[in-house]
Amino acid sequence: MSPFILVIPTGAESISQCASCYSACTASQSVLLAGISEIRNRSRELSAALRPQKKTMSSVKATQLRPGMVIQHEGQLFTIFSVDHRTPGNKRGSMQTRMRNLRTGAIIDYRFRAEEFVDRAILDEVEFEYLYNEGDDFHFMNTKNYEQMQMNREELGETVYYLIPSTLVRVEFFEEKAIGVDLPDTMDMKVIQTEPTLQKATASAVMKPATLETGLVVQVPPFVNEGDRIKVDTSEARYVQRVE
């Protein structure tokens, strides 16, 4: 804003009049500046109110829970270590879970009804490539800046059974700390040990255990052989199909 230039004529009365005029103009300028400041503040508040708010929770069915997910349970955040979908006879199914409290570190076992909905926490997620493990330490690389980080077996829980080198995963962060890995819905994995194929085996025959390349054991049809690749549901550690 341009500064005021005060030209003072001669004469005491004229000087007094000009001084009054200068004071009035200065006061008007202050009021104007205050008004502009108020408008700017209101504009910021309105922009903030109209800006889309980031969701922090989304509902998922209990049967969709899988290792690595972070959920809100009884007002606390937990990371899922393991899940077991149980369907006892004619009774309603349930999801038996083992979870770790992100605040206290306490491990709890909890059973959700199969039809129940659970609040999944939406955290900061960053894409990483799983590289390798050294004992109980698992190493990942950020696919954007190539920085590497590691998580241990205790932090990852049963997620480790689905980590194959070069797999892309989304690592979830809570208060800037990596606390879990969001797995794909299914993974293709290699069978390294199972009983030989039975003659005349069919898909409806009794299932047999098979050990996969990560140490995970799943039930597979009798026609699956060592060396075969199979698709596994990561939410239930369940055989889906043989990969040709």
Side-chain angles (χ1 to χ4, degrees):
M1 183 175 293
S2 300
F4 286 97
I5 301 177
L6 179 64
V7 179
I8 303 177
T10 60
E13 183 177 349
S14 297
I15 292 175
S16 177
Q17 290 174 348
C18 288
S20 299
C21 179
Y22 177 78
S23 297
C25 290
T26 302
S28 297
Q29 184 183 31
S30 299
V31 171
L32 179 59
L33 291 174
I36 293 173
S37 179
E38 178 68 18
I39 291 172
R40 285 174 176 169
N41 290 336
R42 292 289 180 86
S43 178
R44 292 191 190 100
E45 292 174 359
L46 181 60
S47 297
L50 295 177
R51 190 180 300 124
Q53 300 298 309
K54 182 180 177 180
K55 289 182 63 179
T56 58
M57 295 289 167
S58 66
S59 290
V60 295
K61 206 166 184 180
T63 52
Q64 295 176 300
L65 294 176
R66 59 179 181 268
M69 277 189 178
V70 178
I71 66 169
Q72 179 172 273
H73 175 63
E74 297 180 347
Q76 299 286 322
L77 290 179
F78 289 82
T79 182
I80 303 290
F81 266 20
S82 64
V83 293
D84 182 14
H85 190 182
R86 299 181 177 178
T87 52
N90 295 327
K91 297 181 180 180
R92 293 184 177 181
S94 63
M95 293 295 287
Q96 182 68 41
T97 64
R98 171 158 289 189
M99 310 183 291
R100 179 168 63 88
N101 188 306
L102 293 184
R103 289 290 186 189
T104 67
I107 304 292
I108 68 168
D109 294 316
Y110 190 84
R111 181 179 299 176
F112 293 97
R113 300 188 310 275
E115 68 274 12
E116 189 174 351
F117 281 86
V118 181
D119 287 331
R120 179 185 179 186
I122 300 176
L123 306 178
D124 293 328
E125 292 185 343
V126 180
E127 185 179 75
F128 278 77
E129 178 183 348
Y130 171 63
L131 301 177
Y132 62 93
N133 76 293
E134 290 179 324
D136 289 338
D137 292 326
F138 294 77
H139 297 258
F140 302 82
M141 181 181 70
N142 188 310
T143 58
K144 287 186 169 48
N145 58 24
Y146 306 109
E147 291 183 357
Q148 294 189 23
M149 54 156 271
Q150 67 183 50
M151 298 178 70
N152 60 46
R153 186 179 296 272
E154 182 179 350
E155 293 170 324
L156 291 166
E158 292 193 359
T159 302
V160 299
Y161 291 118
Y162 301 98
L163 294 179
I164 300 173
S166 301
T167 299
L168 295 180
V169 297
R170 301 198 69 82
V171 177
E172 296 181 313
F173 288 81
F174 176 66
E175 295 182 347
E176 300 184 356
K177 176 176 171 34
I179 50 85
V181 172
D182 186 20
L183 294 168
D185 292 337
T186 61
M187 293 278 296
D188 292 351
M189 308 178 76
K190 183 177 180 180
V191 176
I192 62 170
Q193 193 280 321
T194 190
E195 297 174 1
T197 297
L198 301 175
Q199 290 185 346
K200 299 182 179 180
T202 65
S204 60
V206 177
M207 305 285 271
K208 63 179 182 178
T211 303
L212 308 184
E213 57 191 298
T214 59
L216 179 67
V217 178
V218 298
Q219 297 295 315
V220 299
F223 57 78
V224 172
N225 294 312
E226 293 180 3
D228 287 348
R229 297 189 65 80
I230 63 172
K231 191 178 295 293
V232 178
D233 183 333
T234 59
S235 66
E236 301 180 19
R238 178 175 58 84
Y239 168 88
V240 177
Q241 65 182 38
R242 186 166 57 181
V243 179
E244 300 296 338

